Amino acid sequence: MALYPTYPLGTDRLSLRPFTRGDVDAVYGYRRLEAVARYLFDVPLSREECAVAVQQRISQTGLTEVNDKIILAVELNQTGTLIGEVSLIWRSIEARQGEVGWIFDPLYQGHGYATEAANIMLDLAFGPGDMHRVSARCAVRNEPSWRLMERLGMRREAHFREHAIFKGAWDEEFIYAILWQEWHKSRQPGQTTSK
Ligand SMILES: CC(C)(COP(=O)(O)OP(=O)(O)OC[C@H]1O[C@@H](n2cnc3c(N)ncnc32)[C@H](O)[C@@H]1OP(=O)(O)O)[C@@H](O)C(=O)NCCC(=O)NCCS
């Protein structure tokens, strides 16, 4: 089954929409920072590299084949400011597996925006996307990222120790995941997603 959502997706505070060419400066505003790149596979990006990244993201709005990605710009409804991005990758069609990810501008961290946007991506994956399990991965030292996974109701499934070299040093990685039935239970009346 292919997934082509109708955009924007959103909440009272946020709109998730496809990237446009006009987003390059906003993306450069946070992707140029070492604090943002520290746990990403990328190094801090130049403006030109951000322009290439945005160009790629413009068409990453649906899932047809394995490893296709949906990468959406997250905008504040009140100001129209682009504050970050969230992604959903189709990891297996047969086993209905997805993977979520996030990158936010430090100016807008600490308000629950990443949790809110990532929850929309889980709703997309388990609702219209009909996925069975959604995972996320991060460096063990990236505490803001794994705490976000826990706020989403994901379970820590693995701790890989020294399984790879990352930026010149041994990598330590956590894998988190949530199953359809766990997500469904969390969406029942009376259940709250923890802060
Ligand atoms: C990972 C990342 C997205 C987490 O951002 P974040 O701002 O900590 O996450 P949220 O937007 O969900 O905000 C949560 C914080 O806001 C607080 N908060 C305030 N209002 C909130 C609300 N309504 N709902 C939830 N949390 C709220 C929470 O208490 C939490 O603060 P704390 O960390 O002091 O406990 C961010 O650190 C980031 O972009 N890092 C750089 C890129 C990166 O490493 N990406 C991941 C690669 S694996």
Side-chain angles (χ1 to χ4, degrees), residues 102 104 109-115 137-138 142 144-145 147 151:
W102 32 72
F104 277 74
Q109 293 177 18
H111 298 277
Y113 294 137
T115 303
R137 58 182 60 221
C138 72
N142 194 353
S145 194
R147 289 183 61 201
R151 280 194 296 276

Side-chain angles (χ1 to χ4, degrees), residues 26-121:
V27 170
Y28 179 53
Y30 59 89
R31 293 301 301 266
R32 69 190 168 82
L33 304 173
E34 168 56 30
V36 169
R38 185 169 301 137
Y39 300 115
L40 303 179
F41 289 107
D42 285 327
V43 293
L45 301 185
S46 66
R47 194 182 179 285
E48 291 66 34
E49 288 167 327
C50 287
V52 172
V54 166
Q55 190 59 40
Q56 280 170 348
R57 281 158 172 63
I58 288 172
S59 58
Q60 288 175 313
T61 56
L63 305 178
T64 315
E65 309 279 347
V66 73
N67 291 327
D68 278 355
K69 300 175 183 177
I70 292 177
I71 307 186
L72 301 176
V74 181
E75 221 175 66
L76 280 184
N77 287 338
Q78 215 166 36
T79 58
T81 312
L82 192 161
I83 62 168
E85 60 191 69
V86 281
S87 58
L88 172 65
I89 309 176
W90 214 0
R91 288 298 186 200
S92 163
I93 294 176
E94 188 191 12
R96 293 158 44 224
Q97 306 283 306
E99 181 178 335
V100 282
W102 32 72
I103 305 173
F104 277 74
D105 186 329
L107 287 175
Y108 298 95
Q109 293 177 18
H111 298 277
Y113 294 137
T115 303
E116 205 165 300
N119 261 316
I120 294 172
M121 297 309 265

